[in-house]
Amino acid sequence: MGRAKIGAIIGREFNYRVRKRTFILGTILMPLLVVGLAIAPVWMATVKTGGDKVIEVIDRTGQIVSELQSQGTIRFEPTDRPLDEIKTPNRDDIYGILTIDTVANGDPTGLKLYTYGPTSIEVEQTVVRQVRDIVEKEKLRTYAIDNLPQILQQVETPVNVETFRIDEAGDERASSSTLSMGAAYLFGFLIYLFVFMYGAMVMQGVIEEKSSKVLEIVVSSVRPFELMMGKILGIGLVAVVQFLIWAILIVILGMAAVAWFGANAALGATPTEIGNLSGMAELAYVDPQALEALRNMTDPGYVTGVFGGFIAYFIGGYLLYAAMFAAVGSAVDNVQDTQQLQIPITVPLILAIIVLFTVMRDPQSSIAFWFSMIPFTSPVIMMARIPYGVPAWEIALSLALLYGGFIAMVWFAAKIYRVGIFMYGKKPSLREMCRWITYKN
């Protein structure tokens, strides 16, 4: 009978929330936002930002202007006219004026850039880089060493290290610390964000029903524990369904975006070949080793394991924190009164985010291990470790402790919830809420 009542509450919470406009809009807009942020740099690289940026150059040294090379939309034009004559207001035929006074001891001085609008970091970096390269090349000539530029080019030795991970079966797989670190931060932060977001949703739902006196009617037919579990599981089901829809839409939209831009055309190409392609293709370039690591990380088995771990740790973390949020929501009459009572809940989550950055640098450290075992921090920390590879026994032990912690927390939260939902007009202290746990049924 109790299970039937909990199931009815789960169905009510699920149906009520998935029909809300905010759920529908959030489910549709989130994938569009994620894919949009991913393809924005590629799209921006294919869009021309106005006409050429013409920069007139007054080179009083006579040594640099002839070596300046126009690049992209930046075009250098030498001029012999004095600065006061060409620096007239409201000119729309040029972007700006560059002056170079002298070269003292081989170093240029009086390098000034005047623009007729807001300057950009691209223009500044282009000017500084080209002038620096020209002066450095001139300095090399003073050493009177034959073929010095060619010698330096031959001496320059790029060193690339290929990294492989040996799995439990003894097989080796290409790995990339950069990709693993990016995945660790992404999954760890998402766990933190969604656990907090959906847990707070439980608290807000309890407060709304309590303030509207709905709870007084509901608890006449179901036990407080059944009501609390129904709300927690119902909202949790909403979250899981929303995640699945997001994953499907992101994959579909992502594949469509890649096909549209043709980004795969440049994967694996050499830098020389990349230089002959458009800016869009340059952004799509991935060196062969990183490409192999990326393929391994997008392998269906790897993706299934990571996504399965994400779901398992999200559900466990959500259940653990939702029970605490439900207890807080039952003890107050409005959201403003929850600020102080939320501190014990938010501190472990914030601590997990702080530790996350340490774990990303060394996922096998002792601090990473212990924080991935503590139920209050394990959802964030373990999801930051999984992309690097974690022994199966550590994941099993961590999940056992997490779900065991949820069971214990539900027992404590239910006692607070049972008393709190009948309390009105008074904001209890943490000490008083702890006393509620000792009350007998």
Side-chain angles (χ1 to χ4, degrees):
M1 189 65 179
R3 292 181 179 178
K5 292 180 179 179
I6 293 177
I9 297 172
I10 292 174
R12 185 263 176 190
E13 289 290 334
F14 180 81
N15 292 327
Y16 169 72
R17 296 186 183 280
V18 297
R19 293 176 181 176
K20 294 179 70 172
R21 185 177 301 176
T22 53
F23 175 85
I24 297 173
L25 291 176
T27 303
I28 296 174
L29 293 179
M30 178 62 77
L32 293 174
L33 177 63
V34 171
V35 176
L37 290 175
I39 68 175
V42 180
W43 175 77
M44 292 174 64
T46 64
V47 177
K48 292 185 178 181
T49 57
D52 291 342
K53 296 181 175 66
V54 179
I55 300 178
E56 292 190 347
V57 183
I58 302 175
D59 182 13
R60 299 185 179 95
T61 69
Q63 303 175 13
I64 295 178
V65 65
S66 60
E67 299 292 333
L68 290 174
Q69 301 291 325
S70 297
Q71 178 179 335
T73 59
I74 302 173
R75 193 152 52 89
F76 296 101
E77 292 186 355
T79 181
D80 295 328
R81 298 162 60 193
L83 177 62
D84 293 338
E85 181 180 333
I86 61 177
K87 194 176 63 174
T88 57
N90 301 322
R91 290 191 61 179
D92 55 5
D93 58 325
I94 64 172
Y95 176 81
I97 306 166
L98 175 65
T99 65
I100 308 170
D101 285 349
T102 59
V103 177
N105 299 322
D107 298 325
T109 61
L111 195 67
K112 299 178 182 178
L113 177 64
Y114 305 87
T115 63
Y116 285 93
T119 186
S120 67
I121 189 68
E122 178 190 12
V123 173
E124 293 182 18
Q125 289 180 344
T126 300
V127 169
V128 171
R129 183 176 61 253
Q130 289 209 28
V131 173
R132 182 193 63 218
D133 292 344
I134 293 169
V135 173
E136 288 178 352
K137 187 184 297 184
E138 192 63 30
K139 285 183 177 181
L140 289 176
R141 291 174 182 165
T142 62
Y143 288 91
I145 300 177
D146 294 336
N147 301 323
L148 181 56
Q150 290 80 0
I151 294 173
L152 292 176
Q153 187 175 6
Q154 293 174 1
V155 171
E156 183 178 349
T157 306
V159 177
N160 297 316
V161 57
E162 298 184 33
T163 57
F164 300 88
R165 177 178 174 81
I166 302 175
D167 58 25
E168 297 177 357
D171 299 326
E172 60 183 40
R173 297 169 63 91
S175 64
S176 170
S177 59
T178 301
L179 293 176
S180 296
M181 181 175 291
Y185 178 79
L186 174 64
F187 290 121
F189 184 77
L190 286 178
I191 285 285
Y192 162 81
L193 178 64
F194 291 138
V195 164
F196 195 93
M197 181 175 68
Y198 288 104
M201 190 182 297
V202 172
M203 179 183 68
Q204 186 173 0
V206 173
I207 295 174
E208 289 176 354
E209 292 184 352
K210 182 179 177 181
S211 60
S212 63
K213 308 298 183 180
V214 173
L215 285 178
E216 294 182 357
I217 301 174
V218 175
V219 296
S220 63
S221 57
V222 298
R223 293 187 302 158
F225 174 79
E226 295 170 345
L227 177 60
M228 183 185 74
M229 287 301 300
K231 292 189 71 67
I232 292 174
L233 297 178
I235 295 177
L237 183 59
V238 173
V240 171
V241 170
Q242 195 169 46
F243 283 156
L244 293 176
I245 296 175
W246 281 346
I248 294 172
L249 289 179
I250 288 174
V251 169
I252 294 174
L253 292 173
M255 293 175 62
V258 170
W260 176 265
F261 285 103
N264 285 333
L267 291 177
T270 64
T272 302
E273 295 170 340
I274 289 298
N276 298 326
L277 297 174
S278 65
M280 173 188 66
E282 291 180 22
L283 290 175
Y285 171 73
V286 179
D287 66 80
Q289 183 191 348
L291 177 60
E292 181 62 25
L294 182 62
R295 285 172 178 165
N296 286 334
M297 294 186 70
T298 55
D299 177 76
Y302 178 87
V303 172
T304 301
V306 172
F307 188 73
F310 181 86
I311 292 295
Y313 276 98
F314 165 74
I315 292 176
Y318 163 77
L319 293 175
L320 177 70
Y321 279 94
M324 292 187 285
F325 275 114
V328 170
S330 69
V332 297
D333 297 331
N334 54 74
V335 177
Q336 289 74 20
D337 292 339
T338 64
Q339 302 302 320
Q340 182 179 358
L341 299 179
Q342 284 190 72
I343 294 177
I345 302 177
T346 57
V347 166
L349 283 172
I350 295 174
L351 179 61
I353 288 295
I354 295 174
V355 175
L356 171 66
F357 295 99
T358 301
V359 173
M360 288 167 55
R361 292 193 297 269
D362 187 3
Q364 302 302 324
S365 64
S366 58
I367 190 172
F369 173 81
W370 288 111
F371 273 84
S372 63
M373 294 298 152
I374 300 172
F376 296 102
T377 57
S378 63
V380 173
I381 302 303
M382 185 58 85
M383 277 313 303
R385 295 182 62 201
I386 285 180
Y388 292 93
V390 180
W393 71 268
E394 290 190 20
I395 296 178
L397 177 60
S398 176
L399 286 174
L401 292 174
L402 176 60
Y403 282 86
F406 156 66
I407 294 173
M409 185 54 62
V410 164
W411 185 83
F412 285 107
K415 287 182 171 291
I416 297 175
Y417 188 90
R418 185 188 66 232
V419 179
I421 57 175
F422 298 110
M423 300 286 291
Y424 293 96
K426 179 183 178 183
K427 177 184 174 182
S429 64
L430 290 173
R431 180 179 299 179
E432 186 175 357
M433 292 177 64
C434 291
R435 285 203 303 268
W436 293 354
I437 297 176
T438 63
Y439 292 174
K440 294 183 180 180
N441 293 333

